[in-house]
Amino acid sequence: GARARARGVTCMVDFHGADLVAAVDAGRPGIIKINEEEFLATFGAAGSFADGESVGADEADLVSLVESTSAGLGAVIVVTRGERDVVAADSGAAVVGKVEPVVPVNVIGCGDSFSAGFVRAWVSRHDLAFAMAEGSRCAALNARSIRPGSLRAGLE
């Protein structure tokens, strides 16, 4: 993380728990992409690391926790929630992004497809709402395809 930042390279991580804590301690990745359950288990109480226990949060609490964690870590945090809206923050400023409703054919690879679309859009524009929309679009395309990681839904 730290070496990448020093060279102007965006580093995105997509894991949780002790491994994420170690990555944060080693150099603060620029973007943390994580699902809601993993985020709550890793960051638990606002701005602090939990002992791996998942805790529930209502929408406002989740947005607040994402904001405070993003501000505390100086990182973009993107919390995906399956069919529910994506919650993200850049330096503590939260954005909630709508997820396109889709009848899934196969959800394997949707998180990775979201990540690919998000990071590509983020690197090109540094616009959180745009990057979230592109990530969601890619995840929806993947969900419509029988082949994981394919964004050519309906062509397979």
Side-chain angles (χ1 to χ4, degrees), residues 49-138:
F49 299 115
D51 294 328
E53 281 186 35
S54 184
V55 295
D58 69 18
E59 190 83 8
D61 289 343
L62 178 64
V63 170
S64 178
L65 183 56
V66 171
E67 286 177 330
S68 63
T69 305
S70 170
L73 297 179
V76 172
I77 297 189
V78 182
V79 180
T80 56
R81 305 183 314 148
E83 299 171 351
R84 295 172 33 223
D85 295 344
V86 177
V87 177
D90 179 11
S91 301
V95 174
V96 176
K98 298 292 180 194
V99 172
E100 174 187 342
V102 62
V103 176
V105 174
N106 186 357
V107 296
I108 296 170
C110 285
D112 292 334
S113 296
F114 178 95
S115 294
F118 179 92
V119 79
R120 178 184 170 275
W122 177 257
V123 168
S124 71
R125 290 199 193 173
H126 288 282
D127 178 322
L128 194 53
F130 174 74
M132 292 166 63
E134 183 63 7
S136 293
R137 185 185 74 79
C138 290

Side-chain angles (χ1 to χ4, degrees), residues 40 43 102:
L40 292 172
F43 296 103
V102 62

Side-chain angles (χ1 to χ4, degrees), residues 1-7 9-11 13 23 26-30:
R3 284 187 272 179
R5 278 189 187 200
R7 291 188 170 100
V9 174
T10 300
C11 179
V13 298
R28 296 188 177 188

